[in-house]
Amino acid sequence: MKIATLVKTGDGPLWIIPQVLAARAVGDEVVVLLPAPHHRDSRVARELADHGVPVVESPAPLAGASLPAQLAAVGRLRTTLRDLDVDVVHYHLYASALVVRLATLGTPITRVHMVAGPLYLDNTLIRRAERVLCRLDHLLIASSADIRNRYQALGLPAHRIRTYPYGVDLDHFSPAPPERRRAARTDLGFDTDEFVAVCVAYFYPPKRLVHPGRGVKGHEVLLEAWSRFVERGGRGTLILLGGGYGEAGERYRDQLRATWASRPGADQVRWVDSVLDVRPFYAAADVNVVSSWSEGYGSGQEATACGVPTVATAAGGLPEVVDDETGWLVDLGDAAALAEALLDAAASRGTPAAGRRAEATRRRAEQMFDRRLLSQDIVAALHTAATNRSAAARPTATAFDRLRAAVPAPRRPARRRQATPASTAASVSGSAPVSTAASGSTAASGSGASAAGLSLLRLLPGLPRRVVWAAYRSYLLRTDPVRYARRIGVRMGEDCRLVEITPATFGTEPYLIRLGHRVGIAGGVRFITHDGAVTRLRREHPDIDVVAPIRVGDGAMIGLNAVIMPGVTIGADVLVAAGAVVMRDISAGSVVAGAPARVISDIEQWERRALARSVGTGRMSPSRKREVFLARFAAQLDADLDAAPTADASPTPTPAPATASTTAATSPSKVAVGTADRPAAETAPETGPRAGEGAESGAGQEPAAKAKRGRKPSDIVSVAK
């Protein structure tokens, strides 16, 4: 599939680049259209050139042109898109939406509008026009729930709307450790105990048609709130990070600076021009401030990813990010409430409550703003939109025509590039698209035969169709479990390993499960996305249903027979022990075990122990491993079981006794991974009386008690290789 991405400027929308790269990763051909001179000289164009993405000049929209010139430019854009032979146009920002809708009328091109912010919908005339014009979009991707709700109120059907934020790079934006925070404060000239608030936003000049007389980012409200903060005894520094947007924006910024120079607290405001890297400012800040009149998520995404709580006005999508757990939310334009929130943030600085708020803020970012996964979801939505458009445009065929179409035709050179098998499968199943190499799927010809077989399958009557599907499902489970998981709706990244999964592994709502990259899942694992116990309430409450999605981060490993409960988010690089029942969110880099699961170690400690206990047979064949293991553990295997165990002086690890949380895996598809040592009372199941219990039971209990005292706790967790 060939995708054209179109925006009206190259000075700001770097957020299109991850989506472009995600589309190329699944084999799509992507071209980006930018107006002159941005198609040659802009940051977006340079970044795209570094990735080898072609950028061509977009004839429209034209900034500041007359209506006849704009219409002529729309005609040239239509010619450009026809010459590029694109299947989908993915456009951002409202000016781009207007010209693309007109330029592609009457063409087979699929139109996908991604709405970055709701500002234009605040204008009554534009909102009335959108009630009609939005129906020209085959798919609308809202970057916040607020935008989705606004378009549903305009009458756009829900099935033509998807909600995906642009997201942030969670590896690039992350909470600053104490040493980096101290260094950032020193470099920026702040004392260790100084309260620092930062506002990251361009200075947009007031617009005539939307919020007239006021800058959309609400800098006037913030400066008024800061003056009140200082008048009430607040001490600290406010950083206004961002330059003026265009010449008018620079004039507006200079005017504000001159107007507020004589107000209380003006000497505690630092005006900083735009920078390429805002992370040092977030590392030094105690709180982020968003005072906008209209907003999507704004700087709340990056600040949230950095673990910085936010003081925000209740504009647009900000209430979806900021609440009592992650910051302070105030009414639009309420400078007094904004000052009160700043005083509260300054007073709570350095307290345990502030630490909990920072942790909750980062968790919110991991749940909502993972740009890598969101980009995959957006590309899958583009494929789905194109598929639905093609299906709607095809005339009704007879049964014979459908049967003839299902038979594979001789392969001929294609006139235009088609979607890869992986992207087609992603669009059919609704899962995130991945590369064919990563998924381990069959060759293109095999995928074509599989698609033809599925088409024939749809022509069969009910019972035979179910029988054939059951056989095909069993085949996939044995030969390509990753492909099976994606086909039933599980969204997953690259290089995932699924061992001995069954149809019950992903439960009844597999489409609510999202796995990151390099996730390993062992046999017997169960993902439960709904609470079945509520069925006992159906008589009094027929509509009751408790359902929540499950998310698993990159590099996580889930051991044998573990159970993941509804609504759980498992962070990156987490090890879940065999038999664990995960009922709460797990932070990144943890090792958890038990029912309910709790943290017993961290990933670094586990790695040190695993390296120390390694027997060095990871690359050996099964037969060679058998020889080495029998020779290495001969003494332990031949020892008298009735004899009291003795300490092993050699560095060779002693096999742990089989328990509910351990496994003796001999299959080459599994590997034993160690966790930190814990006391026997914490790790071993309680098969006998506790200390102090059964004291009068007599000598008959003594051998068992001695054996229990001599038993070493197991630290083996079986996970997928």
Side-chain angles (χ1 to χ4, degrees), residues 511-524:
Y511 47 84
L512 294 181
I513 299 171
R514 174 182 285 180
L515 309 179
H517 301 286
R518 304 176 304 281
V519 173
I521 298 176

Side-chain angles (χ1 to χ4, degrees), residues 407-448:
V407 177
R411 300 186 63 184
R412 299 185 179 91
R415 295 183 60 185
R416 56 193 291 181
R417 186 168 185 173
Q418 302 294 326
T420 63
S423 63
T424 304
S427 66
V428 171
S429 65
S431 61
V434 297
S435 64
T436 304
S439 66
S441 60
T442 57
S445 59
S447 298

Side-chain angles (χ1 to χ4, degrees), residues 221-489:
V221 179
L222 176 54
L223 288 168
E224 174 65 27
W226 187 256
S227 293
R228 298 189 181 205
F229 169 81
V230 173
E231 288 175 341
R232 295 183 57 181
R235 302 292 301 172
T237 299
L238 170 64
I239 304 174
L240 298 180
L241 176 57
Y245 191 81
E247 295 181 2
E250 287 292 346
R251 290 194 299 269
Y252 166 66
R253 181 175 184 265
D254 294 340
Q255 178 186 350
L256 275 181
R257 190 168 186 177
T259 302
W260 292 90
S262 58
R263 294 292 302 272
D267 58 333
Q268 299 177 38
V269 178
R270 185 180 298 187
W271 302 71
V272 181
D273 287 331
S274 300
V275 297
L276 295 179
D277 189 1
V278 299
R279 289 177 298 171
F281 293 89
Y282 284 130
D286 297 295
V287 69
N288 174 59
V289 187
V290 183
S291 53
S292 301
W293 291 97
S294 180
E295 194 66 83
Y297 294 133
S299 63
Q301 296 185 92
E302 296 175 352
T304 302
C306 292
V308 180
T310 295
V311 176
T313 54
L318 291 173
E320 302 164 33
V321 183
V322 183
D323 54 24
D324 292 340
E325 290 186 354
T326 61
W328 299 260
L329 195 66
V330 302
D331 292 335
L332 288 174
D334 193 340
L338 197 61
E340 186 68 30
L342 289 170
L343 287 168
D344 190 14
S348 62
R349 181 179 179 274
T351 63
R356 291 192 296 271
R357 184 175 283 115
E359 293 174 357
T361 300
R362 173 63 184 187
R363 286 197 301 271
R364 185 70 53 84
E366 292 174 348
Q367 293 168 356
M368 295 181 60
F369 300 133
D370 190 333
R371 174 178 286 177
R372 182 165 46 191
L373 296 178
L374 289 168
S375 297
Q376 294 175 354
D377 291 340
I378 290 168
V379 173
L382 298 181
H383 281 263
T384 302
T387 301
N388 293 342
R389 175 86 192 286
S390 300
R394 285 196 298 267
T396 304
T398 65
F400 177 77
D401 293 331
R402 292 195 300 270
L403 181 61
R404 183 174 59 181
V407 177
R411 300 186 63 184
R412 299 185 179 91
R415 295 183 60 185
R416 56 193 291 181
R417 186 168 185 173
Q418 302 294 326
T420 63
S423 63
T424 304
S427 66
V428 171
S429 65
S431 61
V434 297
S435 64
T436 304
S439 66
S441 60
T442 57
S445 59
S447 298
S450 175
L454 290 176
S455 299
L456 288 170
L457 179 62
R458 297 188 185 98
L459 301 177
L460 295 174
L463 181 59
R465 181 169 64 247
R466 289 193 293 271
V467 172
V468 174
W469 164 243
Y472 179 65
R473 182 180 64 184
S474 300
Y475 168 77
L476 281 183
L477 284 170
R478 293 193 307 271
T479 61
D480 196 347
V482 171
R483 181 180 178 86
Y484 166 80
R486 289 200 176 100
R487 183 162 291 281
I488 64 174

Side-chain angles (χ1 to χ4, degrees), residues 15 89 99 127 147 173 177 180 186 189 210 275 279 308 321 345 400 435 518 606 617 680 685:
W15 22 262
V89 180
V99 298
R127 193 164 57 247
I147 295 173
F173 291 95
R180 183 151 60 91
T186 300
V210 183
V275 297
R279 289 177 298 171
V308 180
V321 183
F400 177 77
S435 64
R518 304 176 304 281
W606 166 83
T617 57

Side-chain angles (χ1 to χ4, degrees), residues 24 50 127 144 149 157 159 190 217 252 256 331 397 431 486 494 516 538 558 560 593 606-607 638:
R24 296 184 69 194
D50 292 341
R127 193 164 57 247
S144 70
N149 295 337
H159 70 272
F190 297 123
K217 295 299 181 179
Y252 166 66
L256 275 181
D331 292 335
S431 61
R486 289 200 176 100
E494 301 176 359
R538 288 278 170 83
I558 303 178
L560 280 168
W606 166 83
E607 184 176 354
D638 296 338

